[in-house]
Amino acid sequence: MEVRRRAPLPPPPGRVQAGDALPLPIRHTNLIFSALFAASLAYLMRRWREKIRSSTPLHVVGLAEMLAIFGLVASLIYLLSFFGIAFVQSIVSSSDDEEEDFLVGPARGSSAAAAVAPPPPPSSPAQCSLLGNPHDDAARERMPEEDEEIVSSVVAGKVPSYVLETKLGDCRRAAGIRREAVRRITGRQIEGLPLDGFDYASILGQCCELPVGYVQLPVGIAGPLLLDGQRFYVPMATTEGCLVASTNRGCKAIAESGGAVSVVLRDGMTRAPVARLPTARRAAELKAFLEDSVNFNTLSMVFNRSSRFARLQGVQCAMAGRNLYMRFSCCTGDAMGMNMVSKGVQNVLDYLQDDFPDMDVISISGNFCSDKKPAAVNWIEGRGKSVVCEAVIKEDVVKKVLKTNVQSLVELNVIKNLAGSAVAGALGGFNAHASNIVTAIFIATGQDPAQNVESSHCITMLEAVNDGRDLHISVTMPSIEVGTVGGGTQLASQAACLDLLGVKGANRESPGSNARLLATVVAGGVLAGELSLLSALAAGQLVKSHMKYNRSSKDMSKVIS
């Protein structure tokens, strides 16, 4: 298809941008104002130096000086307001002049600016014709001409798909155009993937790139979970039948026995860069420097500059030849904290470079952290929140609610969770299904689902108490990595689930307490899930329960029973 060049359209009312100052591309506008600023400043400095030498009053100015002052002020206002944002965007976009001809709309701000403050969607957004039925040829014929040109350009590779949001200024329209381009390239319709009903501006620059739709997941509620004297209704996003029902039964057993109690043992996110030094001896010198308590205060000051919440807790080092792995641990407030601790680590590495100029930083992460991988260091030292949660389940509740007995549960836990996991060579997996509950709560509350790897490290302990009548159950989870601000927690659905638990956002009175409370809820949910599943296994009900909840049934009375 022949592509016609289009004149750039003016931005809509109410959105004044840097490029509006002159009818030129923004990179040219920036260069003009930069040159005006430099020339005005140089002229005024030269004139004032001459006046000082000749003892002429500085307030006596001529026409040329007045014009120079006006130019200096005008250019300074422009540069302070827009230079840092617009110039970056001009560099990014200067390599492809044709993109501006294909793309229509107010796209003159940078992607960074859009990520920080995405433009709010209009109250009644125009429906992009690309969002219609992909089989409807008539709808394609009704497609706006400029949208058709953009899609064709994306398919042809002339316009990168990733610039659509920035150039169009409409995240939903960009997703629709990208979706249509993918449909034409692959020949797949993607019919079941919904596009409407999602705020794409809310994920720009922080959650997901190149969106073409969103995935729907059902959210169930287990509870009330009686934990530390409070009642929590726990949201769980899952597609596994029986999971929410089983956790709900565990919550009931805990509540009828007086509730559970939790304690947070540690709270510290970690990041471990790896550096190579000329010799192992030199690496050992750096190791000794980092682990010397005399240097800790200085390292803390350097590290803590990264954030008002970041507080360095300690540095643990390990060597492999002349490679040094430095595991920094710090508290991160109510954020999960990966970015926060990474910035603090970078500050320390820059500081160390002065005393150890022969240090070659290989990577900001050397896997000694260890993030999203099963590792003994997390199991032993902890990462994120280390939580223990326990409850005493009364004998009558074990029989009435859980349909089993205390002795059977204790024996099953030893043979399955402890001995069975040891036979399998498990690392942090001495439990029945902690990952099930962790992942479901993580997805519902906007956590990073990949961090369920270490967050699901758990050892479940059961023993008979009170002369063998009652059951004491506990879960010890050394590395629950959660936050209540940042990442997916700011999305509407996930924020609603956090609000349901009473931990949405940051706690201003006690920074970090919301994230710690969420971690205890996760551990409490795991406690309930472990209790219920072990009871089903002890009573031989697992297959029966899954056949009832994992198989489609139109007979709701059968399911409810």
Side-chain angles (χ1 to χ4, degrees):
M1 182 186 68
E2 180 182 359
V3 179
R4 293 175 295 177
R5 301 181 67 86
R6 301 175 60 89
L9 297 181
R15 293 190 60 188
V16 180
Q17 302 187 25
D20 303 335
L22 291 176
L24 295 172
I26 190 170
R27 57 185 178 278
H28 296 161
T29 306
N30 286 331
L31 291 175
I32 290 174
F33 277 98
S34 298
L36 178 61
F37 175 82
S40 301
L41 182 61
Y43 175 80
L44 289 173
M45 293 296 293
R46 187 180 63 184
R47 287 291 300 153
W48 291 340
R49 183 177 60 181
E50 293 174 357
K51 288 183 177 182
I52 292 173
R53 288 178 176 177
S54 61
S55 299
T56 304
L58 294 179
H59 64 273
V60 178
V61 295
L63 178 60
E65 290 174 289
M66 293 179 62
L67 292 176
I69 294 173
F70 176 81
L72 179 68
V73 174
S75 59
L76 183 61
I77 292 175
Y78 175 89
L79 295 175
L80 289 177
S81 301
F82 304 102
F83 185 83
I85 297 174
F87 188 66
V88 173
Q89 176 60 26
S90 68
I91 294 175
V92 174
S93 61
S94 62
S95 61
D96 193 349
D97 293 335
E98 291 186 358
E99 291 177 14
E100 295 183 1
D101 299 326
F102 288 115
L103 300 171
V104 181
R108 293 297 181 269
S110 71
S111 58
V116 175
S123 56
S124 298
Q127 298 292 320
C128 177
S129 64
L130 295 176
L131 310 184
N133 187 343
H135 295 293
D136 189 354
D137 294 333
R140 287 188 56 193
E141 293 176 1
R142 295 192 300 269
M143 183 188 306
E145 185 177 356
E146 60 269 22
D147 283 4
E148 175 62 40
E149 291 181 2
I150 299 171
V151 172
S152 300
S153 300
V154 173
V155 172
K158 297 179 181 179
V159 175
S161 176
Y162 60 81
V163 305
L164 292 176
E165 281 81 3
T166 301
K167 293 295 184 180
L168 296 174
D170 185 338
C171 295
R172 181 176 173 278
R173 181 183 173 203
I177 289 174
R178 182 180 297 112
R179 181 189 180 106
E180 174 65 12
V182 170
R183 188 193 70 80
R184 296 186 188 182
I185 292 171
T186 64
R188 305 290 181 179
Q189 304 301 334
I190 333 177
E191 292 183 37
L193 185 68
L195 182 63
D196 290 326
F198 187 81
D199 181 10
Y200 292 96
S202 66
I203 66 173
L204 185 62
Q206 52 189 337
C207 288
C208 180
E209 299 75 42
L210 307 174
V212 295
Y214 61 97
V215 174
Q216 297 168 308
L217 277 177
V219 176
I221 298 295
L225 171 65
L226 184 56
L227 177 65
D228 298 324
Q230 300 183 61
R231 295 181 180 273
F232 297 95
Y233 290 86
V234 184
M236 302 174 65
T238 181
T239 57
E240 179 183 350
C242 204
L243 179 60
V244 179
S246 177
T247 307
N248 191 65
R249 182 175 75 149
C251 291
K252 179 180 180 181
I254 293 172
E256 292 190 5
S257 299
V261 178
S262 67
V263 57
V264 178
L265 303 177
R266 285 187 297 266
D267 181 5
M269 181 50 64
T270 64
R271 174 59 85 200
V274 56
R276 182 172 57 204
L277 289 99
T279 63
R281 181 181 294 276
R282 186 64 171 155
E285 292 176 2
L286 177 55
K287 179 178 184 293
F289 178 87
L290 289 169
E291 294 180 341
D292 190 342
S293 58
V294 175
N295 300 321
F296 181 77
N297 288 338
T298 301
L299 294 175
S300 296
M301 291 177 59
V302 174
F303 185 99
N304 296 346
R305 288 202 305 254
S306 63
S307 169
R308 59 193 178 101
F309 297 110
R311 293 295 179 267
L312 182 64
Q313 297 172 334
V315 185
Q316 178 185 4
C317 297
M319 287 178 55
R322 62 192 182 110
N323 299 315
L324 181 65
Y325 299 82
M326 302 160 275
R327 191 173 192 259
F328 292 81
S329 176
C330 84
C331 57
T332 57
D334 284 304
M336 185 269 288
M338 286 299 302
N339 293 333
M340 192 183 302
V341 67
S342 296
K343 289 190 293 183
V345 167
Q346 187 63 57
N347 288 345
V348 174
L349 292 176
D350 294 340
Y351 168 78
L352 292 174
Q353 204 79 53
D354 294 334
D355 292 328
F356 295 87
D358 52 352
M359 178 183 69
D360 180 17
V361 178
I362 303 299
S363 173
I364 190 69
S365 175
N367 275 12
F368 187 41
C369 311
S370 174
D371 187 43
K372 302 174 184 176
K373 291 167 283 291
V377 68
N378 291 337
W379 176 243
I380 298 171
E381 299 293 337
R383 188 170 195 255
K385 279 70 175 169
S386 300
V387 183
V388 178
C389 189
E390 64 179 348
V392 175
I393 310 301
K394 297 177 181 178
E395 181 182 26
D396 60 331
V397 175
V398 173
K399 294 180 179 179
K400 180 181 66 174
V401 178
L402 302 177
K403 313 298 184 188
T404 185
N405 59 75
V406 173
Q407 290 71 27
S408 296
L409 285 173
V410 173
E411 181 182 37
L412 173 64
N413 186 68
V414 171
I415 296 176
K416 170 185 166 60
N417 285 347
L418 304 184
S421 297
V423 169
L427 176 60
F430 299 91
N431 57 80
H433 70 149
S435 179
N436 250 339
I437 290 84
V438 171
T439 305
I441 299 177
F442 270 30
I443 295 175
T445 58
Q447 311 304 312
D448 188 341
Q451 289 186 320
N452 82 86
V453 175
E454 60 267 42
S455 296
S456 297
H457 281 349
C458 171
I459 181 169
T460 301
M461 302 292 292
L462 274 71
E463 59 180 305
V465 294
N466 299 330
D467 296 327
R469 295 190 305 273
D470 301 331
L471 175 73
H472 181 276
I473 179 172
S474 68
V475 292
T476 303
M477 306 180 69
S479 50
I480 301 178
E481 300 165 350
V482 293
T484 58
V485 296
T489 65
Q490 50 85 36
L491 299 179
S493 301
Q494 288 79 350
C497 291
L498 289 171
D499 192 40
L500 176 65
L501 293 171
V503 296
K504 177 182 176 182
N507 190 309
R508 298 183 182 275
E509 290 74 24
S510 178
S513 59
N514 279 359
R516 287 190 291 271
L517 181 56
L518 177 59
T520 63
V521 171
V522 172
V526 170
L527 185 76
E530 292 286 281
L531 181 62
S532 184
L533 176 57
L534 289 173
S535 298
L537 290 169
Q541 297 175 337
L542 180 66
V543 174
K544 179 181 177 181
S545 299
H546 275 272
M547 290 301 294
K548 179 167 68 173
Y549 287 96
N550 277 6
R551 294 293 182 268
S552 176
S553 175
K554 301 298 182 182
D555 186 357
M556 294 309 298
S557 61
K558 172 185 175 183
V559 175
I560 294 174
S561 66

